[in-house]
């Protein structure tokens, strides 16, 4: 197959103007180059398949059910009220529609969060690769051993179906210090961790000062509050890795999801403690929940690789990587498109350890080829 476009972003070098990509029947890239004079060139751009670095596909049945702009405390209330209100048949139908939709719009791999086994069989049979992060919750210290035993059982179920899956902590405020450390260490046994970090000012106010809407929400609902550290939730997380006996720099690929409150000091500490830190931004989800965008300038200056995710249909109108890129382009026009496509394709592949086969349009790789025209994407192979 031969595909042409006004620009081809191979992400292995500079964009090719009036370029082409040739692939074999199974999608393996054979060669790329510049079209000869006179060859008709299709509109739009070509780039590798996307890697969705953060998604909760299990929550797809919640599409359209959440109010926007409630802040994190209001969002958590809605999750608690609506999470178990659909039948398993409806949940699985929504999940299949979501995975099929992601594949159709050019997503070839995904870092997906799971809280149960609902998605495992479908993921195992789907052409879209997923690494499943089995999210752990539990605010009572005495629950730690039981929670870890339960998630290990869930991991065994996933692996029996051939899925790459391991435990991962949810966030600093939904788990006891003991469980945060234990689940992080368990995830890093597999080499990968995904952690919701500094998602909102409400989270930071709760962790630093023991106050604010999220703190009040937990008190009102009789939920244990997290330790008040006087430091950022990111620093607290990094301290819990040390408490788990993990020597710095902590080995493994660690994805810090959201980081809407990241500071230069926090980024420097993450680079000091973590051998391979990554950041996943989910801009449309952040706008949906609390009208905030991540500090892209701080992230770029830090040198920590940036990835792009869609989050879930509880906090987004669609699982659409191109829409996430368009949002970032509008808000941060100083960032070149080539760099944003690296976030959406190559860096996600690197986080998942799949850069040898995904992320760039280079001979021998099978990354998928996506055409973007007028902010819409069409999967080509």
């Amino acid at each position: 197959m031969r595909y042409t476009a006004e620009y081809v972003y191979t992400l292995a070098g500079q964009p090719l103007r009036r370029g082409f990509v040739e692939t074999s029947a199974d999608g393996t890239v054979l060669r790329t180059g510049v079209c000869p004079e006179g060859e008709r060139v299709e509109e739009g751009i070509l780039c590798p398949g996307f890697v969705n670095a953060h998604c909760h596909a299990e929550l797809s049945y919640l599409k359209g059910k959440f109010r926007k702009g409630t802040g994190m405390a209001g969002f958590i209330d809605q999750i608690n009220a609506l999470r178990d209100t659909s039948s398993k048949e409806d949940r699985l139908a929504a999940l299949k529609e979501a995975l099929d939709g992601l594949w159709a719009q050019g997503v070839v791999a995904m870092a997906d969060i799971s809280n149960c086994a609902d998605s495992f069989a479908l993921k195992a049979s789907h052409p879209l690769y997923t690494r499943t992060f089995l999210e752990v919750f539990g605010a009572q210290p005495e629950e730690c051993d039981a929670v870890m035993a339960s998630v290990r059982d869930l991991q065994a179920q996933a692996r029996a179906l051939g899925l790459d899956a391991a435990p991962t902590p949810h966030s600093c405020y939904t788990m006891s210090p003991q469980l945060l450390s234990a689940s992080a260490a368990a995830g890093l046994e597999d080499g990968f961790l995904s952690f919701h970090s500094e998602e909102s000012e409400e989270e930071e106010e709760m962790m630093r000062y023991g106050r604010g809407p999220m703190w009040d929400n937990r008190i009102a609902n009789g939920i244990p509050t997290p330790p008040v550290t006087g430091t950022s939730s990111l620093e607290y997380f990094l301290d819990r890795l040390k408490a788990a006996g993990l020597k710095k720099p902590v080995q493994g690929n660690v994805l810090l999801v959201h980081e809407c409150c990241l500071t230069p000091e926090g980024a420097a500490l993450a680079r000091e403690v973590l051998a391979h830190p990554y950041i996943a931004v989910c801009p449309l989800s952040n706008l949906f929940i609390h009208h905030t965008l991540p500090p892209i300038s701080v992230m770029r200056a830090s040198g920590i690789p940036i990835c792009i995710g869609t989050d879930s249909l509880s906090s987004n109108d669609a699982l659409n990587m191109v829409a996430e890129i368009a949002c970032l382009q509008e808000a941060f026009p100083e960032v070149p498109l080539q760099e944003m496509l690296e976030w959406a394709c190559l860096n996600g592949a690197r986080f998942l350890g799949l850069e040898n086969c995904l992320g760039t349009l280079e001979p021998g790789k099978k990354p998928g080829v996506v055409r973007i025209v007028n902010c819409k994407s069409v999967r080509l192979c």
Side-chain angles (χ1 to χ4, degrees):
M1 300 291 290
R2 182 180 174 92
Y3 307 102
T4 64
E6 296 163 278
Y7 287 91
V8 174
Y9 286 81
T10 68
L11 306 186
Q14 292 302 306
L16 304 173
R17 188 172 185 277
R18 289 180 48 82
F20 70 83
V21 181
E22 290 183 357
T23 70
S24 63
D26 70 353
T28 301
V29 175
L30 300 176
R31 65 187 185 117
T32 63
V34 176
C35 296
E37 194 68 32
E39 180 176 3
R40 182 175 178 274
V41 171
E42 298 292 331
E43 65 178 326
I45 70 170
L46 296 177
C47 69
F50 300 125
V51 177
N52 187 340
H54 182 69
C55 190
H56 297 251
E58 269 180 4
L59 301 182
S60 296
Y61 67 94
L62 295 172
K63 181 179 181 180
K65 295 184 178 182
F66 279 51
R67 302 186 312 279
K68 297 181 180 181
T70 63
M72 282 303 300
F75 178 77
I76 291 168
D77 283 342
Q78 292 181 89
I79 278 281
N80 292 336
L82 295 169
R83 187 160 198 144
D84 297 317
T85 56
S86 295
S87 68
K88 184 172 182 178
E89 292 75 17
D90 287 345
R91 295 198 304 270
L92 291 177
L95 174 65
K96 185 176 188 310
E97 181 179 357
L99 291 185
D100 289 348
L102 286 163
W103 179 252
Q105 59 107 349
V107 175
V108 295
M110 178 168 66
D112 191 53
I113 304 294
S114 287
N115 301 121
C116 66
D118 282 0
S119 66
F120 293 175
L122 181 57
K123 287 177 181 175
S125 63
H126 205 277
L128 193 162
Y129 169 84
T130 56
R131 172 169 283 279
T132 299
F133 291 90
L134 304 169
E135 199 170 58
V136 173
F137 300 87
Q140 301 285 3
E142 62 271 19
E143 298 173 338
C144 182
D145 289 346
V147 171
M148 289 306 301
S150 177
V151 76
R152 288 295 196 185
D153 178 68
L154 198 59
Q155 181 182 23
Q157 294 178 53
R159 288 186 168 178
L161 291 169
L163 295 178
D164 292 326
T168 204
H170 171 256
S171 68
C172 62
Y173 58 89
T174 55
M175 40 203 333
S176 67
Q178 295 85 346
L179 183 58
L180 201 165
S181 293
S183 58
L188 288 171
E189 289 174 8
D190 209 52
F192 300 88
L193 209 66
S194 177
F195 183 74
H196 293 76
S197 180
E198 298 189 309
E199 187 170 356
S200 69
E201 290 289 352
E202 292 179 28
E203 179 182 333
E204 293 305 282
E205 190 176 18
M206 174 174 57
M207 294 301 298
R208 286 181 182 274
Y209 310 114
R211 67 189 186 203
M214 289 181 69
W215 180 271
D216 295 342
N217 179 281
R218 299 184 79 78
I219 296 293
N221 287 285
I223 303 170
T225 53
V228 178
T229 61
T231 61
S232 71
S233 57
L234 172 59
E235 186 170 347
Y236 171 68
F237 167 63
L238 297 173
D239 284 342
R240 292 317 304 172
L241 296 183
K242 298 175 196 173
L246 300 168
K247 307 287 186 190
K248 71 176 186 180
V250 174
Q251 298 302 306
N253 292 354
V254 177
L255 187 70
L256 303 169
V257 181
H258 296 302
E259 286 298 347
C260 289
C261 304
L262 185 68
T263 64
E265 294 77 18
L269 185 61
R271 288 185 64 88
E272 176 188 337
V273 174
L274 304 174
H276 304 292
Y278 292 81
I279 295 171
V281 296
C282 307
L284 290 174
S285 175
N286 302 148
L287 290 172
F288 186 110
I289 296 173
H290 45 81
H291 305 303
T292 301
L293 285 171
I296 294 296
S297 61
V298 174
M299 295 174 179
R300 294 177 76 206
S302 76
I304 298 175
I306 300 171
C307 311
I308 297 177
T310 61
D311 216 331
S312 78
L313 287 174
S314 65
S315 64
N316 208 335
D317 294 320
L319 305 180
N320 189 316
M321 291 288 286
V322 174
E324 303 291 340
I325 295 169
C327 174
L328 289 167
Q329 279 191 302
E330 182 176 354
F332 307 102
E334 70 277 11
V335 182
L337 177 58
Q338 164 107 350
E339 184 177 343
M340 285 196 181
L341 291 174
E342 289 174 358
W343 301 352
C345 307
L346 180 55
N347 288 353
R350 286 172 171 158
F351 166 65
L352 292 175
L354 299 174
E355 66 270 29
N356 289 336
C357 54
L358 304 180
T360 62
L361 294 169
E362 293 183 272
K365 287 190 173 187
K366 193 177 176 181
V369 184
V370 172
R371 185 186 303 279
I372 303 176
V373 181
N374 297 328
C375 293
K376 296 179 181 178
S377 67
V378 178
R379 181 169 175 77
L380 299 179
C381 60

